[in-house]
């Protein structure tokens, strides 16, 4: 993509309504535009990152054996009356009446609808276990939407639902989701700590939230600092193995880590004093096990091995896909702008032409551009007739992790400059070596 042909409406001034870094930088970098309170249009750069995040979520869900589908945004109120949640959910639910007088709602979550789908088609224990998920827009009518996409009213969420015959099977599904979520966040360059949490209106006794530590987090969290040293890394986990998934669950949750709703001062005081931490966290996902809460209320049963009907054991598992962009920026920015981790960057590398119109510089940039495309990488070529300072400022603001600067002086010596956005360090090398260096970085992801 060439910047002269791209739609990137960057802002020089900080919008007055933006109080945290992610909201401020998403507006300034031309990623989003507010259309109403807590409702945003996703402009090309923001949409590109959103799709990268969504793709990683899809890949890790399917690696864990979970099956994608797509449910509608509007739901019948009758389903929610079956579960008993229609009147309990509160004013966050946007209730709608269609032209036929039917009561509808804009879905804040999908436990009822997925249970209705399941009970319509699955009749035997032989069809279990089963986990279905989708990535869909949700709506919760927040009283005070704020912080941009971090606390909006309309948001993109992955929600998945497991159906199992026994409690033991359902707890394996819970552990399997925890493993897949940790891998998902690590692929994005995030450390999201699983913390014992409150189940809220979803229900159930077993639940963990995944929180990214950040000063702007909406949740107060308490944890043993040793938990930040645990990484899943490149380990291969067999998602069908109860033992392997349980071992990862125990490894990541045995140390103290809780949100303020479940904080226990007595247990916290058992943590060595030098490792006790209180901080703020951004919730980017949550997993629940709630047993037969919905299956009993809605008649979702299967024929068991003895021929008798058995209500299925269920859990639900969410990842805030659009919220993740805010969390990523909160964890990865400086005073110049965003610093995207390589796993989610909208473009793999930025190419800056210091002297547009110079035959040698133009030819070198074109050659770099085509070399990256041939390797399946996406470069962003700043081919505008702008001064160098403006081009560097744009690249710093939008946060591409690597920049290649091309100018007549360097080319006279046969080199270009490769700069890391995160460290600011630059290195001169031949154009061929620059392409090889960037290609190696992304090949390792």
């Amino acid at each position: 993509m060439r910047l002269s042909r791209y739609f990137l409406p960057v802002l020089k001034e900080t919008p007055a309504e933006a109080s945290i870094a992610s909201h401020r930088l998403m507006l300034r970098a031309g990623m989003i535009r507010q259309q109403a309170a807590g409702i945003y249009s996703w402009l090309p750069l923001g949409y590109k990152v959103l799709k990268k995040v969504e793709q990683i979520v899809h890949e890790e869900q399917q690696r864990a054996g979970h099956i994608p589908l797509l449910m509608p945004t509007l739901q019948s109120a009758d389903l929610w009356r079956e579960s008993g949640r229609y009147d309990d959910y509160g004013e966050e639910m946007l209730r709608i009446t269609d032209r036929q007088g039917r009561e509808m709602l804009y879905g804040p979550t999908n436990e009822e609808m997925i249970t209705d789908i399941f009970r319509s088609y699955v009749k035997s224990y032989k069809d279990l276990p089963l986990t279905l998920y989708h990535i869909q827009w949700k709506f919760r009518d927040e009283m005070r939407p704020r912080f941009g996409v971090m606390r909006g009213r309309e948001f993109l969420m992955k929600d998945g639902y497991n159906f199992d015959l026994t409690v033991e099977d359902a707890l394996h599904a819970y552990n399997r989701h925890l493993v897949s979520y940790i891998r998902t966040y690590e692929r994005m360059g995030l450390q999201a700590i699983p913390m014992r949490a409150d189940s809220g209106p979803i229900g159930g006794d077993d639940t963990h939230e995944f929180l990214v530590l950040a000063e702007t987090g909406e949740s107060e969290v308490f944890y043993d600092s040793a938990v930040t040293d645990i990484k899943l890394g490149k380990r291969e986990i067999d998602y069908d193995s109860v033992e392997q998934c349980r071992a990862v669950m125990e490894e990541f949750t045995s140390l103290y880590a809780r949100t303020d709703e479940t904080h226990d001062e007595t247990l916290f005081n058992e943590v060595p004093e030098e490792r006790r931490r209180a901080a703020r966290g951004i919730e980017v996902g949550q997993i629940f096990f709630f047993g037969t809460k919905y299956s009993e209320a809605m008649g979702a049963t299967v024929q068991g091995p003895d021929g008798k009907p058995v209500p299925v054991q269920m859990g639900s598992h969410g990842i805030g896909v659009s919220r993740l962009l805010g969390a990523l920026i909160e964890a990865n920015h400086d005073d110049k702008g965003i610093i995207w981790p390589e796993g989610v960057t909208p473009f793999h590398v930025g190419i800056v032409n210091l002297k547009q119109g110079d035959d040698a510089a133009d030819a070198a940039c074109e050659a770099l551009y085509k070399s990256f495309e041939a390797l399946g990488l996406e470069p962003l070529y700043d081919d505008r007739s702008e001064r160098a300072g403006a081009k560097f400022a744009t690249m710093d603001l939008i946060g591409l992790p690597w920049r290649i600067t091309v100018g007549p002086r360097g080319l006279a010596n046969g080199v270009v400059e490769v700069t890391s956005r995160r460290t600011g360090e630059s290195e001169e090398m031949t154009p061929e070596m620059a392409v090889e260096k960037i290609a190696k970085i992304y090949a390792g992801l």
Side-chain angles (χ1 to χ4, degrees):
M1 183 56 64
R2 300 162 195 272
L3 259 183
S4 62
R5 302 179 189 174
Y6 198 55
F7 181 60
L8 186 67
V10 298
L11 304 175
K12 292 182 180 178
E13 303 299 323
T14 299
E17 71 270 24
S19 60
I20 64 171
S22 59
H23 191 194
R24 180 170 67 249
L25 290 171
M26 290 183 81
L27 290 170
R28 285 198 57 218
M31 295 179 67
I32 56 172
R33 174 175 172 77
Q34 182 171 309
Q35 303 300 152
I39 301 173
Y40 294 87
S41 288
W42 290 80
L43 305 182
L45 191 74
Y47 183 61
K48 199 166 178 57
V49 182
L50 186 68
K51 298 304 287 185
K52 289 276 185 86
V53 170
E54 184 179 350
Q55 183 60 31
I56 290 173
V57 173
H58 270 303
E59 288 173 4
E60 293 305 326
Q61 284 301 294
Q62 291 172 52
R63 187 198 294 210
H66 307 156
I67 303 168
L69 78 168
L70 185 63
M71 291 175 277
T73 55
L74 294 182
Q75 302 182 33
S76 167
D78 291 341
L79 284 176
W80 284 66
R81 288 196 173 97
E82 274 193 69
S83 71
R85 283 207 301 175
Y86 186 70
D87 295 318
D88 294 344
Y89 206 90
E91 293 186 353
E92 282 190 1
M93 181 188 287
L94 183 63
R95 293 165 170 84
I96 303 163
T97 303
D98 71 11
R99 67 195 300 166
Q100 305 297 333
R102 290 180 289 247
E103 291 180 279
M104 312 286 287
L105 57 101
Y106 193 136
T109 183
N110 281 75
E111 281 79 9
E112 285 80 3
M113 185 171 285
I114 198 70
T115 304
D116 179 53
I117 291 170
F118 176 87
R119 71 183 177 184
S120 299
Y121 299 106
V122 182
K123 304 300 181 184
S124 170
Y125 75 96
K126 294 177 182 178
D127 296 320
L128 303 180
L130 180 65
T131 295
L132 302 170
Y133 81 94
H134 73 159
I135 297 177
Q136 179 62 290
W137 291 96
K138 303 287 194 297
F139 192 93
R140 293 177 189 166
D141 201 2
E142 295 276 358
M143 174 79 77
R144 285 181 293 276
R146 55 202 171 114
F147 303 154
V149 301
M150 297 273 285
R151 198 170 184 85
R153 292 193 294 164
E154 185 183 57
F155 54 94
L156 189 64
M157 188 171 88
K158 172 262 158 181
D159 44 320
Y161 306 90
N162 66 281
F163 301 88
D164 291 279
L165 184 65
T166 67
V167 170
E168 293 75 20
D169 291 342
L171 290 176
H172 171 55
Y174 186 92
N175 296 345
R176 188 176 68 241
H177 277 84
L178 181 134
V179 177
S180 70
Y181 276 28
I182 291 169
R183 191 183 296 282
T184 298
Y185 299 127
E186 287 189 3
R187 278 189 62 186
M188 296 177 192
L190 280 177
Q191 182 174 44
I193 303 170
M195 298 191 179
R196 176 67 64 180
D198 181 66
S199 62
I202 302 292
D205 298 324
D206 290 277
T207 180
H208 282 84
E209 284 182 6
F210 294 79
L211 290 109
V212 175
L213 300 176
E215 292 178 3
T216 50
E218 75 273 49
S219 302
E220 187 175 14
V221 298
F222 302 85
Y223 64 98
D224 182 334
S225 64
V227 78
T228 61
D229 297 326
I230 307 172
K231 303 286 189 298
L232 192 60
K234 298 288 187 181
R235 279 183 273 174
E236 284 298 324
I237 305 296
D238 179 359
Y239 284 107
D240 290 328
S241 169
V242 172
E243 293 75 20
Q244 286 189 37
C245 291
R246 184 191 299 128
V248 174
M249 158 65 81
E250 291 172 353
E251 179 183 6
F252 277 82
T253 63
S254 60
L255 295 173
Y256 191 93
R258 296 194 176 200
T259 60
D260 53 355
E261 295 101 329
T262 60
H263 178 53
D264 186 319
E265 196 68 31
T266 302
L267 289 176
F268 190 51
N269 287 335
E270 294 177 8
V271 176
E273 186 174 358
E274 69 276 10
R275 296 193 341 230
R276 286 180 220 150
R277 299 286 188 275
R280 310 293 299 179
I282 301 167
E283 182 198 343
V284 292
Q286 190 162 4
I287 56 177
F288 303 85
F289 166 60
F290 42 66
T292 58
K293 173 182 169 70
Y294 296 93
S295 57
E296 286 189 343
M298 298 182 68
T301 62
V302 294
Q303 186 181 57
D306 59 1
K308 296 179 180 177
V310 182
V312 291
Q313 300 287 331
M314 291 177 59
S316 71
H317 316 276
I319 288 181
V321 177
S322 54
R323 167 180 272 248
L324 268 167
L325 274 76
L328 280 159
I329 294 171
E330 290 296 329
N332 297 279
H333 72 274
D334 59 17
D335 57 356
K336 295 178 181 178
I338 302 164
I339 307 172
W340 291 115
E342 280 86 351
V344 294
T345 180
F347 297 93
H348 297 105
V349 61
I351 302 170
V352 172
N353 189 339
L354 292 181
K355 194 170 183 181
Q356 197 71 38
D358 178 86
D359 289 345
D362 291 355
C365 289
E366 289 290 343
L368 285 166
Y369 188 88
K370 289 176 181 176
S371 294
F372 285 120
E373 283 196 318
L375 292 169
L377 298 177
E378 294 181 284
L380 179 64
Y381 174 21
D382 192 342
D383 60 341
R384 300 172 300 161
S385 296
E386 289 275 358
R387 58 186 177 82
K391 292 188 174 188
F392 291 147
T394 297
M395 285 293 176
D396 285 342
L397 174 61
I398 67 175
L400 307 187
W402 295 95
R403 185 185 78 222
I404 298 178
T405 305
V406 181
R409 187 178 302 174
L411 289 175
N413 297 317
V415 297
V416 296
E417 185 180 69
V418 179
T419 302
S420 164
R421 175 69 180 87
R422 188 167 297 278
T423 67
E425 295 176 357
S426 296
E427 184 181 1
E428 289 189 339
M429 61 186 72
T430 66
E432 294 77 16
M433 289 176 63
V435 171
E436 184 179 349
K437 177 183 177 73
I438 301 300
K440 279 185 178 178
I441 289 166
Y442 288 103
L445 295 182

